[in-house]
């Protein structure tokens, strides 16, 4: 007989395995969300780098007052001219994600070992905080390089500079 007539039977089959896997994946949601956030930060850094490169292309063409939209529209032209090389940037982005996750994994191991020894350390928080701040600063540096003065002002203050 066709299985579509008995949907509950298939749903209940292997229930203990399905329940265990659900609990396992539920435990991984937090880590998957952190990986997604790191990926979005790296993507924002990549996009801001492309914007900075296209801004320099527009300045070289004599368009000193380019807008964000014109910079984004110039990205394909910068790629055609060879100023943006996607394969190299993909490798850098992937390498960055792997290194970020390796740093967090090593920090988690250090946290575990130190807490088992009776010395709580907070290494994961430190690693995630540093990597996040470094990536956010990189995005701001790229946008500052593109010529956005408000970002330059913020960046100066974030780095501890005076007005």
């Amino acid at each position: 007989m066709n299985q579509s007539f008995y949907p509950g039977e298939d749903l209940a089959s292997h229930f203990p395995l399905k329940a265990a896997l659900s609990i396992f994946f539920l435990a991984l949601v937090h880590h998957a969300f952190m990986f997604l956030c790191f990926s979005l930060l790296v993507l924002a850094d990549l996009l801001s780098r492309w914007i900075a490169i296209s801004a320099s292309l527009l300045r070289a063409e004599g368009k000193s007052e380019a807008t964000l939209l014109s910079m984004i529209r110039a990205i394909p032209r910068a790629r055609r001219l060879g100023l943006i090389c996607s394969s190299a940037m993909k490798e850098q982005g992937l390498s960055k994600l792997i290194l970020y996750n390796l740093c967090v994994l090593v920090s988690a191991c250090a946290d575990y070992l130190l807490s088992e020894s009776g010395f709580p350390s907070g290494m994961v928080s430190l690693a995630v905080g540093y990597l996040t701040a470094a990536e956010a600063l990189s995005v701001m540096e790229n946008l500052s390089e593109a010529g956005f003065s408000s970002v330059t002002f913020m960046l100066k203050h974030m780095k501890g500079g005076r007005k």
Side-chain angles (χ1 to χ4, degrees), residues 89-138:
M89 289 191 169
K90 273 190 255 180
E91 284 180 27
Q92 289 172 356
L94 184 61
S95 298
K96 194 183 283 190
L97 278 177
I98 290 169
L99 288 174
Y100 280 9
N101 284 286
L102 182 63
C103 288
V104 172
L105 178 66
V106 168
S107 298
C109 291
D111 262 355
Y112 174 76
L113 290 172
L114 288 168
S115 68
E116 288 297 312
S117 303
F119 299 103
S121 68
M123 295 290 288
V124 171
S125 298
L126 181 66
V128 169
Y130 176 79
L131 294 171
T132 301
E135 202 61 27
L137 282 173
S138 179

Side-chain angles (χ1 to χ4, degrees), residues 10 15 37 39 56 58 60 70 75 77 79 90 93 127 154:
D10 189 40
F15 178 76
C37 289
S39 299
S56 66
L58 292 173
S70 65
I75 290 173
R77 194 161 22 111
R79 285 188 56 164
K90 273 190 255 180
M154 262 192 322

Side-chain angles (χ1 to χ4, degrees), residues 25-163:
F25 287 127
L26 188 61
L28 290 180
V29 165
H30 176 70
H31 301 288
F33 188 67
M34 285 182 66
F35 180 77
L36 174 68
C37 289
F38 271 137
S39 299
L40 290 175
L41 280 173
V42 169
L43 182 64
D45 186 32
L46 179 69
L47 181 62
S48 66
R49 185 76 216 130
W50 288 356
I51 289 170
I53 291 170
S54 66
S56 66
L57 171 67
L58 292 173
R59 278 193 295 273
E61 293 174 344
K63 298 172 185 161
S64 60
E65 293 298 320
T67 64
L68 177 62
L69 186 58
S70 65
M71 292 175 195
I72 291 171
R73 285 183 178 160
I75 290 173
R77 194 161 22 111
R79 285 188 56 164
R80 282 192 301 274
L81 293 172
L83 299 173
I84 296 173
C85 179
S86 292
S87 61
M89 289 191 169
K90 273 190 255 180
E91 284 180 27
Q92 289 172 356
L94 184 61
S95 298
K96 194 183 283 190
L97 278 177
I98 290 169
L99 288 174
Y100 280 9
N101 284 286
L102 182 63
C103 288
V104 172
L105 178 66
V106 168
S107 298
C109 291
D111 262 355
Y112 174 76
L113 290 172
L114 288 168
S115 68
E116 288 297 312
S117 303
F119 299 103
S121 68
M123 295 290 288
V124 171
S125 298
L126 181 66
V128 169
Y130 176 79
L131 294 171
T132 301
E135 202 61 27
L137 282 173
S138 179
V139 169
M140 288 187 185
E141 287 170 346
N142 290 335
L143 293 175
S144 175
E145 184 183 325
F148 296 104
S149 59
S150 60
V151 177
T152 305
F153 179 76
M154 262 192 322
L155 185 61
K156 188 186 298 183
H157 284 284
M158 289 183 84
K159 287 185 171 184
R162 297 282 180 228
K163 292 182 183 180

